[in-house]
Amino acid sequence: GFAGTATAQPSSDSKPGLFVNLTSDEVWRGWMALHFAWRTHQMGHPVTVFLNLEAVRFAWAKPPEQTIDGIGTPPRQALRNLIAEGGTVLICGPRIARLGIGADELIPGAEMGKPGLTQPYMFAEGTRIISW
């Protein structure tokens, strides 16, 4: 078994869950993935976003938010909204460390992913995985 357990596992009577794997910090791609995740959560599906590789930068609270004209809510704000509404955001710890970003510099509510924490979200019954 895994060393840890996830806290927001979907129940058998809930809608299927969604696990979003985002690897890019490109603003348009991030906006698409994170808005898709946030809106899916608003439809009643449990949603977990896993930010890894360059995408961990979206959870970095320190730099100014990057935006693109006409896209509405920027990616970091979409993450904040998702967390505020009960969604889960997991961050790749090794990538954060490699970039020199401290855990205390992440948006509130984002959790460091690790073996035993991340996998239960991915393998929860009925969960679909999509990657950007």
Side-chain angles (χ1 to χ4, degrees):
F2 292 114
T5 59
T7 57
Q9 294 289 319
S11 66
S12 60
D13 58 5
S14 68
K15 292 184 178 182
L18 179 66
F19 186 95
V20 176
N21 179 53
L22 180 58
T23 61
S24 172
D25 66 348
E26 193 271 317
V27 178
W28 181 253
R29 183 183 305 235
W31 179 82
M32 292 292 296
L34 299 174
H35 266 249
F36 186 85
W38 176 33
R39 297 301 185 201
T40 299
H41 189 268
Q42 290 180 326
M43 294 174 191
H45 296 271
V47 172
T48 300
V49 171
F50 181 51
L51 301 174
N52 66 87
L53 299 174
E54 305 314 311
V56 300
R57 290 186 176 105
F58 287 126
W60 188 15
K62 190 175 180 178
E65 175 84 84
Q66 292 184 317
T67 61
I68 295 177
D69 289 340
I71 66 168
T73 306
R76 188 182 312 142
Q77 186 59 49
L79 279 175
R80 286 186 174 119
N81 294 346
L82 177 65
I83 291 168
E85 295 172 16
T88 302
V89 175
L90 303 175
I91 312 295
C92 178
R95 187 62 182 151
I96 285 289
R98 176 94 174 155
L99 292 172
I101 300 169
D104 61 335
E105 296 179 88
L106 299 176
I107 60 173
E111 300 177 62
M112 288 294 192
K114 60 184 176 183
L117 176 66
T118 307
Q119 286 80 359
Y121 288 99
M122 291 171 52
F123 298 120
E125 187 70 32
T127 295
R128 306 320 194 263
I129 299 175
I130 190 167
S131 187
W132 263 274

